[in-house]
Amino acid sequence: MKKETWKELTIGTINLDAGNSVKNLTGTWRSGKKPQFIEEKCIQCFFCWLYCPHSAILVEGGEVKGINYDYCTGCGMCSVECPPKEKAIIMVKEEAKLAEGGAE
Amino acid sequence: MAKLKDLAAMEDRLVAGHGMCLGCGIPLIFKIILRATEDPLIIANATGCLEVCTTIFPRTSWNVTWIHSAFENAASTIAGVESMYKALKKKGRIPEDKKIKFLGVGGDGGTYDIGLQALSGAVERGHDIVYVCYDNNAYANTGGQRSSATPFGASATTSPEGAESPGKLQRRKDLTKILVAHNIPYVAQASPNRWQDLYKKAQKAFEIEGPAFLNVLCFCPTEWKYDESQGIRLAQTAIDTCVWPLYEVENGKYKINYIPKEKKPVLEWIKPQGRFRHLFKEENAWVLEEYQKQVDEDWEELNKLAKL
Ligand SMILES: Cc1ncc(C[n+]2csc(CCOP(=O)(O)OP(=O)(O)O)c2C)c(N)n1
Ligand code: SF4
Ligand code: SF4
């Protein structure tokens, strides 16, 4: 990729590429633990979606379907807030990182 | 009543890939607030964690028109945009039926402290804006300096606990009350753990004509120093101890939106947080006692106001 210089900047450095931070894969920060989704225990309450600071809950066809590890930072709030007695999200140990950052 | 499933189906106005910390409360607050209107939105954001972490050049996490504002004047910036919108409407350059909502945003440093004058002026002039303060009790983005929102007794980098001091020795400023004193149509306090309440308040704030102010408690694992998975639990404790009462003041009329079944001791709020750890030293027992007294006084006063 050719490095941009100030000559390519928009006036006022207006960023016209709305929402382009999706290219930052925050999942690369995760270390030690990651959430695991157990579909059959899920009651589709959407609390995990609500309480995920990094938009890492996968929702497809109006249902919670799992975790997007590209963005999950492993904070664990989804698991703590998951209401069923037998939780549908549990935190498990993670040895290796699953996401590689800096992708264009 | 809003359903989370429907909210989840709405477009994200603040997208993934921002740099806020693990377990941060800010994105949760705005996930709800930004869905409380379907109208186009223009946001002015004072510098602070939200502003910095969502716009690290050349990226942005914003899917709406968003303006970086200096630390001290987010309210002035958004008031100016709203004035321009009105002027252009008058000139016929914006269609009469086109609706746009205007939102000013800042942390407690940018709102309680350095941005207070701008905010006071903007709401006093009656601009049709919503201003949201996410109150994480500190200047978090620059490493956790104390603000006027930092609780009594909390340790912060500029009010450190140690041999000379038991943490911050000044009582927390009650900004919500200051906004109420401006006699604006709508002022409310909310917390992300009561998302329905926050959502309704944000809807009201956007719908009401004239200035509206929301003060939202925002947990910050980095500066409060607790296990980052516990943010929502901690916010629940804040409302159960009445450290952060949920209430609204609509056209001068107070309403408490959450009354704990059993008011818990402030001790439960401070226990999980490292910034209060020193309050368990024998010589600091009085600080905790004083903090409890302040919380009790404020809660009692609020209850009196709500009965008027
Ligand atoms: C006039 C001015 N003073 C200081 C700064 C440096 N600064 C940037 S963000 C920040 C802290 C913001 O604190 P707060 O408003 O509480 O938001 P938070 O960081 O907690 O999200 C400071 C001091 C600045 N940008 N401008
Ligand atoms: S919080 Fe738990 S039960 Fe609720 S939708 Fe998420 S995984 Fe399913
Ligand atoms: S320092 Fe606190 S408020 Fe700032 S991004 Fe981190 S957790 Fe959020």
Side-chain angles (χ1 to χ4, degrees), chain B residues 64-223:
Chain B
V64 288
T65 305
W66 178 95
I67 309 165
H68 156 79
S69 188
F71 196 18
E72 56 274 35
N73 62 344
S76 308
T77 305
I78 203 64
V81 179
E82 185 259 2
S83 300
M84 178 182 70
Y85 159 82
K86 280 196 172 145
L88 292 177
K89 251 193 172 173
K90 222 183 211 169
K91 289 182 182 159
R93 287 172 57 193
I94 292 179
E96 197 41 55
D97 57 349
K98 173 105 184 159
K99 272 196 206 151
I100 301 177
K101 295 286 177 1
F102 304 94
L103 175 64
V105 177
D108 48 293
T111 310
Y112 283 68
D113 293 346
I114 196 168
L116 181 58
Q117 171 179 298
L119 176 60
S120 173
V123 300
E124 188 273 334
R125 290 190 303 273
H127 293 278
D128 191 9
I129 57 172
V130 177
Y131 189 99
V132 174
C133 172
Y134 61 91
D135 180 357
N136 58 15
N137 299 179
Y139 292 64
N141 195 244
T142 41
Q145 294 78 20
R146 55 85 93 189
S147 78
S148 56
T150 303
F152 183 80
S155 188
T157 56
T158 47
S159 63
E161 65 88 13
E164 299 294 326
S165 161
K168 185 181 163 184
L169 278 171
Q170 295 78 24
R171 192 171 178 151
R172 192 185 73 90
K173 183 194 281 180
D174 193 339
L175 178 68
T176 309
K177 237 195 222 166
I178 296 175
L179 268 294
V180 173
H182 285 73
N183 299 313
I184 58 176
Y186 192 65
V187 176
Q189 243 176 226
S191 176
N193 62 306
R194 301 284 289 184
W195 71 270
Q196 290 273 13
D197 179 69
L198 171 59
Y199 181 72
K200 270 190 249 162
K201 285 171 176 168
Q203 270 187 323
K204 246 188 219 178
F206 281 124
E207 273 162 26
I208 277 168
E209 216 172 298
F213 174 78
L214 299 183
N215 203 358
V216 188
L217 182 70
C218 179
F219 44 83
C220 167
T222 309
E223 299 308 337

Side-chain angles (χ1 to χ4, degrees), chain A residues 5 11 14 22-23 31 52 57-58 61 64 67 71 75 84 94 101 103:
Chain A
T5 69
I11 291 172
I14 292 172
V22 292
K23 291 173 189 159
S31 69
C52 174
I57 301 297
L58 276 175
V64 169
I67 315 290
Y71 298 116
C75 71
E94 177 177 44

Side-chain angles (χ1 to χ4, degrees), chain A residues 37-39 41-49 57 64 78 81-84 87-89:
Chain A
F37 179 62
I38 308 155
E39 191 159 6
K41 297 199 174 138
C42 175
I43 56 167
Q44 296 297 335
C45 67
F46 278 72
F47 281 172
C48 53
W49 170 81
I57 301 297
V64 169
C78 54
E81 299 309 322
C82 181
K87 287 183 183 289
I89 298 183

Side-chain angles (χ1 to χ4, degrees), chain B residues 20-21 24 26 49 136 140 220-222:
Chain B
M20 284 174 270
C21 305
C24 176
I26 303 176
C49 286
N136 58 15
C220 167
T222 309

Side-chain angles (χ1 to χ4, degrees), chain A residues 20-21 24 49 52-54 81, chain B residues 16-18 20 31 60-61 233:
Chain A
N20 64 355
S21 76
N24 302 334
W49 170 81
C52 174
H54 290 85
E81 299 309 322
Chain B
H18 61 73
M20 284 174 270
K31 193 181 292 194
T60 173
S61 306
R233 301 293 95 215

